[in-house]
Each structure stands twice: as structure tokens, then as C-alpha cells.
Amino acid sequence: MLEILDNLDMLSLPHLDLTTVEMGGITLGAPTARVPRRSIIEAQSSVVTRHHSGAGVEREYYDADGQRLTLDEVVDHASRSEGFLYCADKLTYKVRTGAVVGFTIYGPHLSYFDHLTSYEEFLAAFSRPDRVREDEAYGDLMGFDNYYWGAHKYVRWDAWDHRVSLINLGSFEGNTGP
């Protein structure tokens, strides 16, 4: 297995065999229990109907009846059904029915690509995507959403900061084609 975090250049490949990679020591298809609980700082699950968080504020989760849920309860529900486990190291695992089905990388890991300072340089390094969606808000170009179906990959190019701001791999909407 190749560790993505030790081989970040592989993230620019237009075709990537996801059965040969791991992120943080975890492979796609691995049991959700392999994600270390101590590293999970936030979770998303359908059991949560209201969520409260902010700088310097403890995260709070509430169900449809207004009952407060613990982080462990949300993680457990996400693991049994579907959701996301957000880790302190700026890595996220998408989970479904007890297995890891996707990876998301953001934050300082992506500084590896800081030498790319324009969308044209990004395209030269990552190649032309199978699908591009321009993201605009109030007439301003916010970024480009790039889908590479051969790698089951999505890469966000931030047009404001001129950088790669997010990469996800695996079972995410749009990653496998139309």
C-alpha cells in the first residue's frame, strides 16, 4: 500500500488505483473502527438535526427531539449508517455501513501544491479533468470543481487564493462520472 500523505504527488495523477493507497494508514473498505477515535474531533450523521460549533466553543449535537448527543454517539451512528469523521490532522473519512468509502484531504497537507499559482499551472500538473464546474457567487468566480473519473477524484481549485484547497477520493457524488 502507498501512503497518500507520504506520496502527495500521486494526487495529481488522472488515473489512480484506489485499491493500492491508504490515507493515515487506513484503506478504502477498511472497517470504520480503524479510524482512531482519539483523532476524531467532529462527525456528521443523519441523526444530527442541529449542530453548534465555533472557535473556542465546544461542539454540540442534537437529534430531531432536541436531545443532546455526544460525539461518540454521532460517530457510532455515522459508522452504522453514513456520514463523515473529521480528524484533527485535517483529514476526513467518508463512512458508510461500517466501512471507509472516501478520503478528504485539506489544510496544510495541500501546501505541497503551493508552487501552483494559477489555474493553468494546476491543469498542467493535474491534467485536464473529465468534468469542470465553475463556482460563482454574486458574479465572482470562486473556484473550479475538477472531477477525474479515472481516479475517482475531485479537486477544488480556489480562484481567490490561487491554490488547491481540497481533494477527495473515493465514493463521492460526481467522482465516477455523470
Side-chain angles (χ1 to χ4, degrees), residues 26-88:
I26 299 170
T27 60
L28 291 178
T32 305
R34 295 259 339 261
V35 179
R37 285 277 175 138
R38 68 187 179 287
S39 70
I40 300 170
I41 59 169
E42 190 172 352
Q44 181 180 333
S45 169
S46 62
V47 73
V48 176
T49 59
R50 191 167 54 92
H51 176 247
H52 176 71
S53 67
V57 176
E58 183 181 338
R59 289 172 179 83
E60 297 176 358
Y61 302 94
Y62 297 90
D63 65 14
D65 295 327
Q67 296 296 313
R68 188 167 179 181
L69 302 167
T70 66
L71 176 58
D72 282 338
E73 289 171 321
V74 177
V75 169
D76 289 342
H77 187 271
S79 296
R80 287 189 312 272
S81 57
E82 183 172 0
F84 294 90
L85 306 177
Y86 300 92
C87 298

Side-chain angles (χ1 to χ4, degrees), residues 48 94 107 141 144 146 155 161 171 174:
V48 176
K94 182 175 182 182
L141 178 63
F144 295 94
N146 302 278
V155 183
D161 292 330
S171 183

Side-chain angles (χ1 to χ4, degrees), residues 80-131:
R80 287 189 312 272
S81 57
E82 183 172 0
F84 294 90
L85 306 177
Y86 300 92
C87 298
D89 51 5
K90 304 295 184 187
L91 302 174
T92 298
Y93 298 91
K94 182 175 182 182
V95 297
R96 183 180 305 130
T97 58
V100 174
V101 297
F103 303 141
T104 301
I105 304 167
Y106 53 101
H109 301 289
L110 297 180
S111 65
Y112 181 83
F113 299 107
D114 281 356
H115 63 282
L116 305 174
T117 59
S118 71
Y119 186 61
E120 292 73 26
E121 289 178 9
F122 165 81
L123 290 175
F126 278 75
S127 79
R128 294 246 171 239
D130 295 297
R131 179 176 177 230

Side-chain angles (χ1 to χ4, degrees), residues 6-18:
D6 294 335
N7 300 282
L8 290 167
D9 56 318
M10 80 171 72
L11 292 172
S12 64
L13 298 173
H15 298 279
L16 182 61
D17 182 357
L18 296 181

Side-chain angles (χ1 to χ4, degrees), residues 135-146:
D135 179 19
E136 293 186 2
Y138 305 106
D140 291 324
L141 178 63
M142 305 303 288
F144 295 94
D145 298 323
N146 302 278

